[in-house]
Amino acid sequence: MKWTQTLVPTLREAPADAEIPSHQLLLRAGLIRKLAGGVYTFLPLGLRTLRKIERIIREEMDRAGALEVAMPALQPPEIWEASGRAQTAGDVLFKLKDSTGRQWFLSPTAEEVITTLAANEINSYRQLPKNFYQVSVKFRDEIRPRFGLMRAKEFIMKDAYSFDTTDEGAMASYQKMYDAYKRIFARCGLQSFPVEADTGVIGGSHSHEFMIPAATGENEVAYCEACGYAANIEKATSGIPKTAARELGAAVEKFSTPGVVSIEALAKEPYKVAANRQIKTLVYIADSKPVIILVRGDDQLNETKLMAKTGAIAARPATPEECVATLGAKPGSLGAVLNVPADVKVYADERLRGANDMATGANEDGFHLKNVSIERDIKVSEWFDLRTVNAGEPCGKCAKPLKIRRAIEVGHVFKLGTKYSAKLNATFLDADGARKPSVMGCYGIGVTRTLQAVVEQSNDKDGIVWPIAVAPYTVCITPLGVAPGSPAMTLAEKIYTELTARGVDVILDDRDERPGVKFKDADLVGFPIRVAIGEKGLAKGEVEVKPRNAPFQAVKAEDAVEAVMKLVNG
Ligand SMILES: [Zn+2]
């Protein structure tokens, strides 16, 4: 490709609304353009990279035995009603009406569609196992789209769905996808690592996310370098000890704490009740009903765990008014010893089990309670792991300190079980003649997000540093003198033709621009290899071959193609 014949609108400055390096670089390198918030056009070079990533994904999915299909983006709401997800996924579903008034959903994912297909087309165990996948545009009604392709309203996703006759079969299908994902991200030049994950709104019993370490990532991951344990912070647990039991104190006693409305204030003079001897009482509205949550004073509630453990579809902190309505007091004075309505559930964090000699709010401004023994004085409905782990806590598997880092989620594998197949009648006749629901798994890769993750992980002060496998072009030839028939241009075209014939993607920068401009652009777009042809070098019969992230080497003009091929083949 000749530079003047394609479109590479590079920018010296990043648009003000691009917040993270990868978003800025995709815009500056002329790979994408914003049409509206969360909606992007891929320009020719951006699309080339996207297609290369898609090809890697398709090759690895095919290799793992998955079958490519293409499902519609328009989905009838009835199948979402049948699966029970019309409510749970309601917030992110794009809904529209056609001219007859019939409602449709724009596909954010396709469990319902593929399960409906399986219900109609798969009838016997002889047809199983099967794994179907597609690479297609998906939609999410993101209220706050941000970070470019990372969180967009319209994006490209690879989604796959496996159907098996048994649980063991489903686990084998899961493992195949897990292995394929590791290969996919490695081939894209990404350092990915799988972590245990919450199954969230999709449901299911077993799940891993594939993460890319990045300071700008929206996820937090707890991990142990010693034993390899890694989990999304929404799911992570640690081996932190439970609250030390003390002598069972006398009866609960109310004491005056004027103006004290925080854990920190109660920990100070004159009260000096350490945060780890306090019970933090929170009121949440879970699926429109108030619930009371108890965690230790020095712990933080993890809302994802709360929803996962209690099965709540939606949960939010109660307003001060709702706290008063529930416990008769405002946040800062709440406690679960007194005045808890009989129909309000009290969920306590496991770390508090057996704790005594604790302090908590008295549901009365200016008063707290002491000598609280949680199992004696509070009617706990259920115990759960509800706290967020912190860096430095002992690993639950090997007791070495856990670390926490930020990461970008690029892939997710779930074992779904029969959640969808049972509801949508995706059943089969087994060898014993019994009709059973298929055991399913589902597997996603954010394709456009993966593209941006490559840029986020691989860039420097000059621009993007593409891995060869996904670069828009592998080689950029830069003749410094582009007059047709000039020695530099003639040699540039010769090298271009030879490399192209050997299957290398080459772009020839035939713009009549200063060398500085051309080199800056080549570094900004991030071509892995640059071949510069200047008058001085030519006089000596030499050209410069320069990998994007290494110094140049002068090579004889006739050896240039071989030198490039050596770099291409690693
Ligand atoms: Zn460990």
Side-chain angles (χ1 to χ4, degrees):
M1 176 59 69
K2 304 282 171 64
W3 196 295
T4 55
Q5 285 162 20
T6 181
L7 180 66
V8 195
T10 56
L11 306 171
R12 290 280 81 92
E13 302 292 330
D17 61 347
E19 297 143 285
I20 61 173
S22 53
H23 186 196
Q24 294 166 351
L25 286 169
L26 287 171
L27 291 165
R28 286 188 55 208
L31 302 178
I32 61 168
R33 282 294 180 266
K34 181 168 110 175
L35 176 64
V39 182
Y40 290 86
T41 298
F42 275 79
L43 275 64
L45 268 58
L47 188 65
R48 288 183 63 86
T49 286
L50 182 62
R51 291 288 180 255
K52 287 186 180 184
I53 293 172
E54 289 176 352
R55 190 184 313 147
I56 289 170
I57 291 172
R58 285 196 167 91
E59 283 174 9
E60 293 297 340
M61 294 305 290
D62 294 347
R63 181 175 160 190
L67 304 164
E68 187 167 6
V69 295
M71 290 179 263
L74 281 175
Q75 300 186 2
E78 292 77 15
I79 55 177
W80 285 74
E81 298 292 346
S83 73
R85 272 212 304 181
Q87 308 310 319
T88 54
D91 288 354
V92 296
L93 270 177
F94 250 111
K95 297 164 189 162
L96 61 144
K97 281 196 176 143
D98 67 18
S99 55
T100 68
R102 175 165 172 41
Q103 193 174 52
W104 298 88
F105 294 162
L106 282 178
S107 173
T109 169
E111 281 81 4
E112 285 80 2
V113 178
I114 199 70
T115 312
T116 302
L117 184 85
N120 292 327
E121 308 303 331
I122 291 174
N123 192 42
S124 160
Y125 72 96
R126 289 191 185 88
Q127 294 168 282
L128 296 172
K130 285 278 182 296
N131 187 346
F132 302 101
Y133 81 97
Q134 64 174 349
V135 180
S136 65
V137 174
K138 305 288 194 301
F139 301 88
R140 267 179 75 95
D141 192 2
E142 284 287 351
I143 297 165
R144 211 160 69 83
R146 59 192 181 279
F147 304 149
L149 308 174
M150 289 292 182
R151 192 162 283 279
K153 282 176 177 284
E154 180 179 327
F155 52 95
I156 295 174
M157 189 170 98
K158 186 285 299 176
D159 44 329
Y161 308 90
S162 64
F163 295 83
D164 278 271
T165 56
T166 63
D167 227 40
E168 299 74 53
M171 274 321 292
S173 294
Y174 183 96
Q175 189 63 40
K176 267 190 200 168
M177 288 294 101
Y178 182 99
D179 295 339
Y181 276 30
K182 286 211 283 199
R183 291 194 299 266
I184 286 166
F185 296 122
R187 285 183 62 187
C188 290
L190 284 167
Q191 291 159 2
S192 77
F193 63 104
V195 307
E196 293 175 19
D198 176 54
T199 50
V201 83
I202 293 200
S205 57
H206 201 75
S207 137
H208 285 89
E209 287 163 342
F210 284 76
M211 294 287 190
I212 308 299
T216 58
E218 292 192 90
N219 288 273
E220 275 190 303
V221 171
Y223 65 103
C224 172
E225 282 175 341
C227 74
Y229 170 76
N232 191 311
I233 199 82
E234 296 174 343
K235 163 102 177 173
T237 57
S238 75
I240 199 158
K242 291 212 176 9
T243 308
R246 291 180 174 178
E247 197 103 338
L248 192 60
V252 172
E253 191 182 316
K254 191 155 96 174
F255 64 111
S256 172
T257 54
V260 169
V261 290
S262 69
I263 300 287
E264 296 73 34
L266 196 62
K268 284 187 186 142
E269 297 277 2
Y271 314 105
K272 295 198 73 167
V273 182
N276 64 13
R277 303 309 306 183
Q278 299 186 42
I279 300 169
K280 193 191 291 183
T281 308
L282 306 163
V283 179
Y284 264 69
I285 305 298
D287 297 343
S288 350
K289 278 192 300 215
V291 295
I292 293 167
I293 321 290
L294 309 179
V295 295
R296 212 168 83 170
D298 54 342
D299 281 339
Q300 299 299 323
L301 168 69
N302 186 309
E303 291 186 3
T304 305
K305 285 186 180 177
L306 173 67
M307 304 210 309
K309 301 289 163 64
T310 63
I313 291 161
R316 61 166 175 84
T319 63
E321 295 72 34
E322 287 165 335
C323 289
V324 172
T326 307
L327 287 173
K330 285 189 201 145
S333 304
L334 300 174
V337 178
L338 308 167
N339 325 335
V340 178
D343 60 341
V344 173
K345 290 244 193 307
V346 178
Y347 300 127
D349 179 61
E350 281 289 353
R351 201 177 180 199
L352 285 169
R353 208 190 266 268
N356 53 14
D357 190 20
M358 304 293 283
T360 191
N363 290 335
E364 186 180 344
D365 286 348
F367 291 95
H368 279 76
L369 304 176
K370 58 183 179 186
N371 293 341
V372 174
S373 166
I374 191 159
E375 295 187 52
R376 178 191 67 187
D377 302 319
I378 296 180
K379 198 166 161 271
V380 173
S381 315
E382 275 183 273
W383 295 88
F384 294 117
D385 164 38
L386 294 172
R387 67 183 288 278
T388 302
V389 304
N390 298 303
E393 288 177 11
C395 170
K397 289 193 173 162
C398 77
K400 292 281 185 333
L402 287 177
K403 291 187 172 179
I404 291 180
R405 69 176 163 199
R406 303 203 72 84
I408 299 164
E409 180 201 338
V410 286
H412 205 158
V413 292
F414 288 98
K415 181 166 170 280
L416 289 172
T418 57
K419 179 182 151 110
Y420 292 88
S421 50
K423 285 183 174 152
L424 292 159
N425 297 316
T427 58
F428 64 95
L429 271 181
D430 209 350
D432 59 9
R435 187 158 282 282
K436 298 170 184 168
S438 296
V439 189
M440 291 176 61
C442 75
Y443 318 94
I445 291 179
V447 181
T448 36
R449 184 186 283 186
T450 296
L451 184 154
Q452 188 169 334
V454 173
V455 179
E456 190 68 25
Q457 190 168 76
S458 190
N459 67 73
D460 63 16
K461 64 176 178 28
D462 296 321
I464 302 170
V465 183
W466 287 112
I468 284 181
V470 297
Y473 290 95
T474 307
V475 178
C476 178
I477 302 175
T478 313
L480 308 174
V482 296
S486 70
M489 195 60 179
T490 304
L491 179 58
E493 284 179 330
K494 181 167 177 283
I495 295 172
Y496 174 87
T497 306
E498 283 179 28
L499 283 173
T500 306
R502 295 176 72 162
V504 180
D505 289 334
V506 189
I507 186 165
L508 198 167
D509 190 350
D510 57 342
R511 293 176 298 167
D512 190 10
E513 283 281 2
R514 286 179 293 112
V517 170
K518 291 188 169 193
F519 289 157
K520 263 206 163 70
D521 277 350
D523 280 351
L524 175 59
V525 180
F527 303 110
I529 302 163
R530 190 173 76 204
V531 179
I533 303 168
E535 300 299 336
K536 257 193 216 159
L538 264 186
K540 290 189 278 181
E542 286 178 349
V543 302
E544 288 176 4
V545 175
K546 185 188 178 307
R548 173 65 177 77
N549 50 6
F552 77 84
Q553 46 187 123
V555 300
K556 290 247 168 297
E558 59 268 30
D559 298 336
V561 170
E562 282 312 319
V564 170
M565 291 310 297
K566 233 169 117 180
L567 290 169
V568 169
N569 296 324

